[in-house]
Amino acid sequence: MAAPFTRVYRPFWRIITTTKSNRGVRNVSYTSQQWSAQNVKTAGAASPWALHGAVCVQRLPVVTQDRSPIEEEFMELMQKMEFERSLLADHELKLLDDAALMSRKQEGDYDSDEEDDYRDKDIVTAQDLEDIWEQKLKDFQPALRSQGNDQKDASSSERCLADSLILLVKKDVGSQKLWLLPQIQWQMGETLRQTAERALASLPGADLKATFLGNAPCGFYKYKYPKDIQKEGSVGAKVFFFKAVLSSHKHLPLEKNSFAWVKKDELQDFLKPEYLKQVRRFIMAL
Amino acid sequence: MAGIVCRTASRIISSQASCSSVVAVRHSHWFTSMLSLKTSVPLRAEPKKRKKVDPRRELMVKERLKKKLKKLEKVPPEMIPIEDFIKSAKGFDETRVREAPDLCFEESERRALLLKEWSRFKRSQHQTEMHEIQEALEAQRQALEELKLESEELYKAAVSPDTDIFPFQHDGPCYTPPLTNYEAPEGKYNDITRVYTQ
């Protein structure tokens, strides 16, 4: 009975039933008055909860993350220590030999016949090879690590390439438009995973292919309908989330207002607090 | 009659005990026949089938010899060397030794402190990872509990193993994103890996 009710007096039986309904209720703009009229039906052949299947599509990182300062320092230290403890490689030996040969050639009494390994190979020295390799590296232009559009366009899937992004959709729920993970109502005769796949396929204007990771849901969220919508049989809805990994990477532009690819720390700007609390548990952004 | 033959055979053989190789010395043709009689004592039960005994015995002797030969020839297969464990000669080459650097006190201190800092950093990283994994597992367990309360068949379908997911393949992150319409330059290489056959 730790619920923050404003009304102090309530009949005893209502106190018992409302304590049961406190778990997992979404705190949207509903006031506390509606809770007094709710009756939680525990018995019954048909369950009073409507089932929904939702999908959590992740675009996994395309590019490695930047190193934190301590990681940078440690990497430098490790490279230095390895270099100090190593032996000279063939290439380095060749460099030293070439340098020695050059210094011998500079001297006045140089006789090329005294050289042991004098062969035509000397024309290309190790230093020349190094220069050739550096030139080749400069000729190659890699793609940029960050496109620079991180903050502006939330609906592009080419956003933060170093993080994993989740797809959110804006949907009408009751009288409001809310940002949610894509979900759809469960139909008789299909498993919840098929519901989730249908939810992904039925998104308007988005051709996304994803691999679902297993048959089991990764999380759930349940909420009650507001008093006026509640009928005899339905009390609320349970949403089961399924994880999927985006497989095809078509850069089709999605509608800005209805789709968003967000990182885990940006989720709080989009989702409602109760919903966010359940969703954060299974999204791992390591 | 067989008993009489036996007694005579035993008397004659005891008198011939000094002979080392009975088979080689043939004083009379009776000796070989005695021998055959002596060795065929257990086969006395089948006096009529004596004709098959000899070829069978010869076959058995041949088989035993063949088995002994096979055992001798059975050499254990040569072990394939593990290339990583073979110390190459280049490692012992003294001309390749790099001179050891002189580290001042501050530098060695800095290194030691950085190593400790790193261990602390890795420990906290590990703890956050473990915590996140525990949270995700707990969320999944609760979701399955709720599903069980809902309907048994959906629960069973959720708990059943997924056969299509494996083999699962995903290319991990690289340093730069892939270039669109990039054609990698063709090149040839000589594969010098050593292949061993037993």
Side-chain angles (χ1 to χ4, degrees), chain B residues 176-196:
Chain B
T176 52
L179 284 168
T180 49
N181 306 326
Y182 177 69
E183 288 176 16
E186 278 187 23
K188 56 174 181 162
Y189 55 90
N190 295 329
D191 196 2
I192 55 169
T193 44
R194 291 188 201 166
V195 177
Y196 296 94

Side-chain angles (χ1 to χ4, degrees), chain B residues 79-133:
Chain B
M79 312 274 255
I80 297 175
I82 301 173
E83 307 239 345
D84 293 335
F85 291 175
I86 302 169
K87 298 184 190 178
S88 71
K90 287 184 184 175
F92 300 105
D93 195 355
E94 280 175 4
T95 57
R96 292 173 184 256
V97 171
R98 222 184 276 275
E99 43 200 44
D102 285 327
L103 291 177
C104 59
F105 175 71
E106 282 102 16
E107 178 62 24
S108 58
E109 278 289 302
R110 182 193 80 95
R111 285 187 179 188
L113 289 171
L114 183 57
L115 286 169
K116 295 194 180 191
E117 186 69 41
W118 177 252
S119 80
R120 268 177 251 138
F121 170 74
K122 276 312 240 186
R123 179 175 170 269
S124 69
Q125 206 182 50
H126 178 77
Q127 276 184 335
T128 38
E129 275 179 24
M130 285 294 122
H131 180 72
E132 287 203 27
I133 290 170

Side-chain angles (χ1 to χ4, degrees), chain A residues 237-278:
Chain A
K238 275 189 192 176
V239 190
F240 287 94
F241 301 100
F242 286 81
K243 262 198 183 172
V245 163
L246 192 68
S247 44
S248 85
H249 214 138
K250 291 185 200 159
H251 312 314
L252 293 173
L254 303 170
E255 279 181 54
K256 285 198 188 186
N257 291 329
S258 46
F259 291 93
W261 288 99
V262 287
K263 295 192 279 194
K264 186 173 176 184
D265 18 338
E266 292 170 358
L267 279 176
Q268 63 229 25
D269 303 330
F270 288 81
L271 301 179
K272 294 284 170 183
E274 282 292 326
Y275 191 73
L276 174 70
K277 205 169 99 168
Q278 294 296 325

